[in-house]
Amino acid sequence: MEIPSASLLLFFLFSLLLPSIISSSSLTSSSSVQDPHYVEKDFEKAINSSRRQLGYLSCGTGNPIDDCWRCDPDWEKNRQRLADCAYGFGKGAIGGKNGKIYVVTDSGDDDPVDPKPGTLRYAVIRDEPLWIIFARDMVIKLKEELIMNSYKTIDGRGASVHIANGPCITIQYVTNIIIHGVHIHDCKQGGNAYVRDSPGHFGWRTISDGDGVSIFGGSHIWVDHCSLSNCHDGLIDAIHGSTAITISNNYMTHHDKVMLLGHSDSYTQDKNMQVTIAFNHFGEGLIQRMPRCRHGYFHVVNNDYTHWEMYAIGGSASPTINSQGNRFLAPNDRFSKEVTKHEDAPQNEWKNWNWRSEGDLLLNGAIFTPSGAGSGSSYAKASSLGAKPSSLVGSITMSAGTLSCKRGSRC
């Protein structure tokens, strides 16, 4: 049987690197064996270093989303191929696939009711499908919420695009949205103003929450490879019956309440919510809600949690949380080792909620408190893709956040 070249090269690298890993691990005797997590970490570090030196596997990371499109040096000519690469509950989100390419040339946002052609707001409110790209690097400071119409892709690849320092993105009662490759940060509240949401309609908006991405009654949504930080409320919130959502490959930093999934304990319409949280890096300066869930079904898979101050994953109102193949590095504070937080209920109630940890790597004293009987049918509704081993999380999430994509070369 012929061995694939990638596997052969990986085996070759392992055979070269293993002696140096062992010799540096201070294995003084058979009764003094180093913690296997540290050996694993050393090996992964050595492999990643070799990959960088050799340019090896720059698009073969084991991340199924990235490996679908990043190998293509002509990605710029095949932008809409990205729409075929989603995984998880948001896999059906096609965004502006098969629509025209729309190039944003104007970073301004002078009139939320009558936006100028060439602006991002003008593009996202159109009725027809559009694949929206950017002519150059730009910082877009919105005057009011950017209220999107259905079948739109915001694709920041090839430019450094920041939506910042004003109200940010609202996905309300629309479907098939892709947001990819954009910096979203320092988002503010907006409102008490008229805002257009389609060519034929504008309306009065009350005060907004100040989320980076607010999903309200939306479906088939995919947020991928964005860098998010420091917003007024949540970085990404999904409420009021939103479902079929994937949040993947994002890098989130410097924020308190990171992600709310589910409107309130009393809003039972969120019982059908299904959200995949995959391949994200939850980084420095984060405090809680990665995510905080209510009622629905949540697949938290192959994410890297390197920072939290209060807890990582929490919820109330009996959500089903399926945590698989994540890496949880607890903070040094001995009072903050818990990954999980069962909220707004006594133990005799939350002990029946279906929360499980399967194949997670718990480091520095991290503790995941499972609960519930764990019926197969319940977790089937909270399973959306095959989890990779937690030992691969470092390489899978290595490129989380916005990518530096250059035309004519692999992204």
Side-chain angles (χ1 to χ4, degrees):
M1 179 177 176
E2 183 180 354
I3 300 175
S5 58
S7 299
L8 185 60
L9 184 51
L10 187 58
F11 176 80
F12 175 69
L13 284 170
F14 177 80
S15 64
L16 288 176
L17 293 165
L18 186 58
S20 62
I21 293 169
I22 293 174
S23 64
S24 65
S25 64
S26 300
L27 303 181
T28 58
S29 72
S30 60
S31 62
S32 177
V33 179
Q34 189 181 12
D35 186 326
H37 291 157
Y38 290 104
V39 175
E40 171 190 291
K41 185 176 180 180
D42 287 342
F43 174 64
E44 183 180 328
K45 182 178 179 181
I47 285 291
N48 289 338
S49 175
S50 298
R51 284 173 174 167
R52 286 191 292 270
Q53 292 169 13
L54 298 173
Y56 170 63
L57 291 183
S58 60
C59 62
T61 63
N63 180 319
I65 293 172
D66 286 0
D67 293 345
C68 174
W69 69 272
R70 287 184 65 189
C71 299
D72 183 5
D74 293 323
W75 60 268
E76 190 202 6
K77 298 176 183 176
N78 303 312
R79 283 182 178 270
Q80 296 191 9
R81 179 184 177 187
L82 179 70
D84 300 324
C85 296
Y87 275 73
F89 292 122
K91 185 175 183 178
I94 63 172
K97 185 182 178 184
N98 301 322
K100 295 179 181 178
I101 300 288
Y102 187 98
V103 183
V104 175
T105 57
D106 185 344
S107 63
D109 187 43
D110 292 336
D111 192 339
V113 175
D114 188 22
K116 292 191 297 184
T119 62
L120 178 60
R121 189 180 300 276
Y122 183 90
V124 302
I125 65 171
R126 298 299 102 192
D127 285 331
E128 69 272 19
L130 288 178
W131 197 278
I132 301 163
I133 67 173
F134 299 84
R136 60 182 183 280
D137 296 353
M138 58 181 69
V139 177
I140 299 173
K141 182 178 178 180
L142 297 165
K143 285 193 169 183
E144 298 295 339
E145 298 166 88
L146 187 75
I147 305 179
M148 298 189 67
N149 207 341
S150 295
Y151 295 96
K152 301 293 180 293
T153 298
I154 298 177
D155 179 1
R157 288 175 296 175
S160 178
V161 179
H162 293 249
I163 298 175
N165 305 311
C168 290
I169 298 172
T170 295
I171 301 167
Q172 180 169 316
Y173 296 127
V174 294
T175 188
N176 284 283
I177 301 292
I178 298 173
I179 301 172
H180 180 97
V182 181
H183 298 265
I184 302 169
H185 59 92
D186 297 289
C187 299
K188 314 297 183 187
Q189 291 181 298
N192 287 337
Y194 286 102
V195 183
R196 185 171 294 278
D197 57 9
S198 71
H201 178 265
F202 65 89
W204 181 258
R205 300 291 293 182
T206 57
I207 298 295
S208 63
D209 290 336
D211 297 330
V213 179
S214 175
I215 307 170
F216 190 104
S219 63
H220 302 291
I221 313 297
W222 182 26
V223 182
D224 185 58
H225 272 297
C226 292
S227 295
L228 303 104
S229 65
N230 196 37
C231 294
H232 183 269
D233 189 25
L235 294 183
I236 302 175
D237 285 3
I239 61 173
H240 270 262
S242 298
T243 194
I245 298 166
T246 293
I247 298 168
S248 59
N249 293 311
N250 301 291
Y251 183 39
M252 305 185 196
T253 60
H254 300 104
H255 193 77
D256 181 2
K257 299 174 180 178
V258 177
M259 198 182 306
L260 174 66
L261 306 176
H263 178 67
S264 67
D265 288 3
S266 61
Y267 193 82
T268 57
Q269 289 93 322
D270 281 330
K271 284 188 175 181
N272 294 321
M273 180 180 287
Q274 290 179 300
V275 182
T276 301
I277 312 294
F279 319 137
N280 302 284
H281 182 185
F282 295 95
E284 62 271 16
L286 299 181
I287 297 176
Q288 60 181 316
R289 297 190 179 184
M290 299 170 242
R292 187 211 192 283
C293 309
R294 289 186 172 105
H295 291 297
Y297 300 89
F298 306 95
H299 196 191
V300 183
V301 55
N302 288 145
N303 300 281
D304 198 8
Y305 291 84
T306 57
H307 298 76
W308 71 80
E309 291 187 23
M310 291 178 61
Y311 68 90
I313 300 172
S316 59
S318 190
T320 297
I321 299 177
N322 186 14
S323 174
Q324 294 184 305
N326 300 287
R327 182 166 66 176
F328 296 104
L329 177 65
N332 291 326
D333 184 349
R334 66 189 180 93
F335 299 107
S336 300
K337 299 296 186 182
E338 275 275 4
V339 171
T340 50
K341 185 179 182 183
H342 297 76
E343 300 199 73
D344 301 332
Q347 184 175 357
N348 63 1
E349 182 179 329
W350 64 250
K351 71 179 182 180
N352 297 314
W353 301 351
N354 287 325
W355 295 18
R356 77 174 178 187
S357 170
E358 187 174 79
D360 289 329
L361 184 59
L362 301 168
L363 302 174
N364 200 33
I367 302 166
F368 189 109
T369 302
S371 58
S375 66
S377 60
S378 176
Y379 284 120
K381 293 181 181 179
S383 299
S384 58
L385 58 93
K388 304 282 186 178
S390 58
S391 59
L392 300 178
V393 163
S395 58
I396 289 172
T397 63
M398 185 185 300
S399 299
T402 54
L403 299 166
S404 180
C405 298
K406 306 297 183 184
R407 294 173 174 86
S409 62
R410 290 175 178 172
C411 196

